[in-house]
């Protein structure tokens, strides 16, 4: 049985700002935007108590929390801190699968310190993160990625949760369907309309019924309702594309708000490309409108690109071409493809094969 840890930093961007500026500690902070215009990229826990969250209009955020403090995003700092945290992960295991700047899976079944207890390792990591960065993290420990991810969210911030095999089905049965990792808002709403409100309700449905209503992913829903997930932590997965996307709690209608989000996404993609030592020739912008209509726009180059600035510039141009979105946007995504990895470049020049 595997021992999987999911580490999730607490309000990462905002916490970095509060760490670096003592005057912000204990106060409601919004990263990105301003009191007059823009959109919130991240919010501290103090701000979240007032209903301030990412992708919220800055004007609305200021109305909900009149004493909200707006600070400019510093993605270069967040990326540097993220790299520092991942070095801590790698001191315990090479089986690390980053999901974003602020979260990752670790397989510690076999680990570098010979520690049989995943619980002890998770809490050591949390303590080291705090000592070395001044930031807090929450951890979930279990025997699968799905359960570890759920567990890390059960006792935030600065918390720890263990889901043991004998408790797994009980935990999943009691979980609200909207809190299932891998079930988004749209799917959750559809399930709720079908009377599927909890994991216990989901478990009552047959695999055939779930596939009929949700397609192939219905098989995944069938398994996780039974606490079954055999996906491995994939530290060196070679991908055909590298991307990041965000679904917004409030649809975006203004270009400025969309550009703020694209800047964040571009930095996320660039960070992963740097980590994987990859460059790209194609950038794709994904736009999902309020009515779930999907639109993709892409551009391919002769030369390779990898920097956040270059990716953002391409995404911004795609957003405006042939015209800005004419309807409210609920999701934006950027992906880089036609990838070239460093080892391919060294070993095979420009002839390379990418496989999942």
């Amino acid at each position: 049985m595997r021992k999987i840890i999911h580490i999730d930093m607490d309000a990462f961007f905002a916490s970095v700002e509060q760490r670096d500026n003592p005057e912000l500690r204990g106060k409601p902070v919004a990263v990105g935007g301003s009191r007059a215009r823009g959109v919130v990229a991240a919010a501290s826990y103090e701000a979240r108590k007032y209903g301030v969250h990412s992708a919220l209009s800055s004007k609305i955020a200021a109305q909900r929390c009149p004493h909200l403090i707006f600070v400019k995003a510093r993605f270069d700092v967040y990326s540097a801190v993220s790299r520092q945290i991942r070095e801590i992960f790698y001191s315990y295991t090479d089986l690390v699968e980053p999901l974003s700047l602020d979260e990752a899976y670790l397989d510690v079944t076999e680990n570098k310190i010979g520690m049989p207890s995943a619980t002890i390792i998770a809490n050591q990591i949390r303590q080291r993160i705090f000592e070395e960065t001044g930031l807090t993290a929450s951890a979930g420990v279990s025997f699968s990625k799905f359960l570890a991810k759920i567990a890390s969210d059960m006792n935030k911030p600065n918390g720890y949760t263990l889901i043991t095999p004998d408790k797994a089905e009980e935990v999943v049965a009691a979980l609200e369907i909207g809190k299932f990792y891998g079930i988004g808002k749209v799917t959750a709403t559809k399930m709720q309309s079908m009377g599927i409100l909890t994991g216990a309700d989901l478990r009552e449905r047959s695999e055939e019924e779930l596939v009929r209503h949700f397609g192939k992913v219905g098989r995944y829903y069938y398994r996780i309702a039974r606490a079954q997930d055999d996906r491995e932590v994939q530290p060196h997965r070679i991908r055909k594309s590298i991307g990041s996307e965000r679904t917004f709690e409030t649809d975006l209608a203004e270009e400025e708000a969309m550009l703020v989000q694209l800047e964040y996404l571009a930095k996320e993609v660039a960070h992963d490309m740097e980590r994987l030592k990859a460059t790209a020739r194609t950038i794709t912008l994904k736009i999902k409108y309020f009515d779930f209509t999907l639109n993709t726009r892409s551009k391919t180059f002769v030369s390779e690109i990898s920097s956040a600035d270059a990716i953002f510039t391409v995404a911004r141009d795609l957003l405006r071409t042939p015209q800005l979105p004419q309807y409210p946007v609920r999701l934006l995504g950027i992906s880089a493809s036609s990838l070239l990895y460093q080892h391919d470049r060294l070993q095979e020049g420009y002839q390379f094969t990418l496989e999942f």
Side-chain angles (χ1 to χ4, degrees):
M1 185 170 291
R2 287 178 294 169
K3 300 173 184 178
I4 309 297
I5 301 173
H6 179 257
I7 298 289
D8 191 9
M9 300 301 296
D10 299 321
F12 184 49
F13 294 174
S15 294
V16 170
E17 298 301 332
Q18 290 177 316
R19 178 199 69 176
D20 293 349
N21 184 350
E23 294 182 359
L24 298 177
R25 295 173 190 172
K27 298 178 181 178
V29 174
V31 177
S34 66
R35 191 164 296 277
R37 56 191 303 180
V39 64
V40 175
S44 68
Y45 283 103
E46 294 87 352
R48 294 181 188 185
K49 295 177 182 179
Y50 293 87
V52 177
H53 53 74
S54 62
L56 183 68
S57 161
S58 297
K59 290 183 179 179
I60 296 177
Q63 291 172 358
R64 293 182 178 180
C65 181
H67 54 297
L68 184 64
I69 302 171
F70 290 89
V71 298
K72 184 179 180 180
R74 300 181 297 155
F75 291 103
D76 56 335
V77 176
Y78 310 147
S79 294
V81 176
S82 178
R83 287 192 292 270
Q84 186 180 2
I85 292 167
R86 287 181 189 177
E87 286 304 312
I88 296 175
F89 297 160
Y90 289 125
S91 69
Y92 290 89
T93 177
D94 290 328
L95 298 180
V96 178
E97 181 182 340
L99 300 180
S100 62
L101 290 176
D102 60 348
E103 61 176 318
Y105 290 115
L106 294 77
D107 187 331
V108 296
T109 310
E110 302 289 338
N111 57 80
K112 295 179 180 179
I113 64 172
M115 170 58 66
S117 170
T119 293
I120 291 177
I121 292 177
N123 285 319
Q124 282 186 5
I125 289 173
R126 292 177 54 239
Q127 182 62 29
R128 283 190 58 188
I129 289 174
F130 181 73
E131 291 175 352
E132 297 179 28
T133 72
L135 302 171
T136 63
S138 295
V141 177
S142 195
F143 57 90
S144 72
K145 290 166 71 171
F146 171 70
L147 291 170
K149 173 75 172 178
I150 288 175
S152 69
D153 197 44
M154 297 181 86
N155 195 22
K156 287 181 73 71
N158 196 24
Y160 159 82
T161 302
L162 168 68
I163 300 179
T164 56
D166 61 313
K167 295 292 185 181
E169 290 191 15
E170 177 184 339
V171 170
V172 173
L175 196 66
E176 295 178 10
I177 206 66
K179 294 185 177 180
F180 272 66
Y181 180 64
I183 296 181
K185 288 186 177 181
V186 177
T187 301
T189 299
K190 182 175 180 179
M191 286 187 175
Q192 290 162 356
S193 70
M194 296 168 58
I196 303 175
L197 306 180
T198 65
D201 297 329
L202 184 61
R203 186 185 174 96
E204 293 178 356
R205 306 303 174 105
S206 68
E207 183 174 7
E208 179 183 4
E209 180 183 3
L210 293 174
V211 170
R212 184 169 65 252
H213 285 285
F214 302 102
K216 292 181 180 179
V217 73
R219 296 189 178 93
Y220 169 73
Y221 298 154
Y222 179 83
R223 292 195 301 273
I224 60 174
R226 290 157 178 77
Q228 299 170 2
D229 177 21
D230 57 3
R231 294 173 301 147
E232 296 181 354
V233 172
Q234 298 181 312
H236 303 299
R237 180 177 59 185
I238 298 178
R239 296 178 288 183
K240 292 183 179 180
S241 65
I242 298 172
S244 182
E245 62 182 39
R246 298 187 81 179
T247 298
F248 312 118
E249 295 186 30
T250 303
D251 296 339
L252 306 184
E254 299 178 0
E255 179 186 13
E256 181 182 5
M258 297 178 201
L259 292 178
V260 169
Q261 297 300 326
L262 289 183
E263 181 180 15
Y264 167 83
L265 294 170
K267 291 182 182 293
E268 281 267 88
V269 173
H271 180 271
D272 282 344
M273 291 176 68
E274 178 184 4
R275 176 175 57 83
L276 296 170
K277 295 180 171 58
T279 57
R281 292 200 186 98
T282 299
I283 300 297
T284 300
L285 174 66
K286 178 180 178 181
I287 306 170
K288 184 178 287 186
Y289 296 103
F290 74 104
D291 60 356
F292 306 109
T293 303
L294 183 64
N295 175 239
T296 58
R297 307 171 182 181
S298 63
K299 188 171 184 178
T300 299
F301 301 86
V302 175
S303 58
E304 303 157 30
I305 63 175
S306 60
S307 72
D309 287 344
I311 295 169
F312 170 72
T313 298
V314 176
R316 180 193 61 198
D317 292 345
L318 290 172
L319 183 72
R320 295 169 174 172
T321 307
Q323 61 181 351
L324 289 168
Q326 300 299 295
Y327 305 101
V329 172
R330 74 182 311 270
L331 176 148
L332 285 173
I334 297 176
S335 63
S337 57
S338 300
L339 299 176
L340 182 63
Y341 290 88
Q342 187 178 74
H343 60 79
D344 293 312
R345 189 181 292 108
L346 293 173
Q347 297 176 8
E348 304 176 18
Y350 286 88
Q351 302 299 317
F352 60 99
T353 301
L354 300 175
E355 297 179 350
F356 282 112

